[in-house]
Amino acid sequence: WLGRIEVLSLRFTLASKGEARLPRFLGSTIRGGLARATRNVACALRKEACDRCLLRFRCAYSLLFETPRPVGLEQLRGQSKLPHPIVIDPPEEVSTFEPGEELSFGVSLFGRAAEHLPHLILAAQEAASRGLGRDRHPFELRRVEQLSFDSKVQRVLYESGDVVDEVDELPSEPLSILFEQNDVPRVPATLQFRTPARLVVKGALTKSPTLPDVVRSLSLRALAMLRVDGGHEVDLDIASLNELAEQARVACSSLELERLDRYSTRQRRPV
């Protein structure tokens, strides 16, 4: 069932217009800049809250960053927020840039979120021009490329201010391709968190997540993506998956709690 999820894999490349010093973890910086710019590009009713807006199921900003809950979805009834169909893969702890130096990051769009790629490209242009980080260091959008699952460039969509290939209705790839290309390990298996993760268990942030906690979170995310973003009717037995996770033995774990301070341009304060 997981293989039914379709993904559009992209790489955005910015170029610094001057010397820039950005936070150590760029995921929040990039996401914040894209979210604000996408709202500027796509939102028709700027003063309306997304959860009360009549356009929330068709708006690029709402779908990508304030994902609305459709009627039904009993298995997700306890989830206050749905997972967003956009995943940003930032560079690893690169914070200082010289003039002309490039900053590249990955973007994955799941299901119907791929329809809003044109909005996202316009948003990346605006976010780069507006500036990144607390001091608004200016960048420019240099390239947007579509990638395969093995990170090979399939086509260049945008380069140096020009759209060089069609960005509407690009073919996404089902996750089943990823499973076909790689043997799924039985035991042992290693789970690596490449970006910071916050897991909420029974309404509270957990400082030491267990394997069942992780499996349940991933299961709910996959279910939401299948139902909301992909339109697939799936009856996922999350309880059985949790039971299997309980039976698994964790040989070692190096998870640790780390505080990442960031500056919110929307709230205009550190958070």
Side-chain angles (χ1 to χ4, degrees):
W1 49 266
L2 195 59
R4 300 181 193 175
I5 298 178
E6 293 192 344
V7 186
L8 179 62
S9 301
L10 306 158
R11 179 166 60 211
F12 285 68
T13 299
L14 313 181
S16 178
K17 288 187 174 182
E19 293 184 358
R21 188 171 187 85
L22 299 176
R24 177 169 59 88
F25 175 67
L26 288 174
S28 298
T29 301
I30 294 170
R31 185 191 183 282
L34 284 178
R36 180 169 182 169
T38 301
R39 182 159 192 168
N40 290 341
V41 168
C43 182
L45 303 171
R46 301 288 177 86
K47 296 183 179 179
E48 187 74 27
C50 288
D51 59 353
R52 298 195 300 270
C53 181
L54 291 174
L55 303 175
R56 63 186 181 276
F57 292 105
R58 297 186 179 274
C59 171
Y61 171 76
S62 175
L63 176 67
L64 294 175
F65 298 102
E66 298 284 347
T67 311
R69 174 191 296 278
V71 177
L73 296 183
E74 289 300 314
Q75 283 182 294
L76 300 173
R77 186 173 48 188
Q79 301 295 104
S80 59
K81 295 182 179 180
L82 293 182
H84 308 308
I86 178 173
V87 171
I88 295 171
D89 185 10
E92 294 184 4
E93 298 189 4
V94 179
S95 58
T96 303
F97 296 86
E98 298 297 326
E101 189 172 353
E102 292 186 344
L103 162 60
S104 294
F105 58 92
V107 173
S108 297
L109 298 177
F110 295 84
R112 60 193 180 97
E115 300 171 7
H116 297 291
L117 175 59
H119 291 95
L120 201 61
I121 292 177
L122 290 174
Q125 286 180 308
E126 179 178 317
S129 177
R130 184 182 181 87
L132 300 180
R134 181 173 184 174
D135 296 323
R136 301 278 180 85
H137 297 290
F139 284 73
E140 63 177 348
L141 179 60
R142 183 165 287 180
R143 282 186 308 281
V144 179
E145 301 160 304
Q146 182 182 6
L147 307 179
S148 60
F149 277 134
D150 55 1
S151 298
K152 294 180 180 178
V153 177
Q154 292 186 323
R155 57 175 60 88
V156 178
L157 307 175
Y158 172 99
E159 189 163 22
S160 300
D162 295 320
V163 177
V164 297
D165 203 341
E166 289 294 329
V167 296
D168 289 319
E169 299 182 2
L170 287 174
S172 301
E173 293 184 304
L175 281 181
S176 57
I177 294 178
L178 185 62
F179 301 145
E180 293 167 1
Q181 293 176 347
N182 298 276
D183 293 330
V184 179
R186 297 295 180 182
V187 287
T190 301
L191 178 63
Q192 181 181 14
F193 290 86
R194 295 184 57 188
T195 59
R198 298 177 79 254
L199 295 182
V200 176
V201 178
K202 296 181 180 179
L205 177 66
T206 177
K207 296 181 180 179
S208 54
T210 63
L211 183 59
D213 293 336
V214 174
V215 168
R216 182 177 185 278
S217 179
L218 289 176
S219 301
L220 290 172
R221 185 179 184 88
L223 177 62
M225 285 185 172
L226 283 164
R227 295 288 299 276
V228 179
D229 306 316
H232 299 291
E233 292 292 332
V234 177
D235 185 16
L236 182 59
D237 190 353
I238 296 178
S240 294
L241 291 174
N242 285 343
E243 289 180 6
L244 291 174
E246 292 280 3
Q247 297 171 16
R249 183 178 66 87
V250 178
C252 63
S253 174
S254 59
L255 295 179
E256 59 183 32
L257 185 65
E258 182 176 355
R259 179 179 177 84
L260 291 175
D261 295 322
R262 67 181 182 89
Y263 182 82
S264 172
T265 54
R266 180 174 62 86
Q267 301 179 44
R268 298 182 179 179
R269 64 182 181 87
V271 294

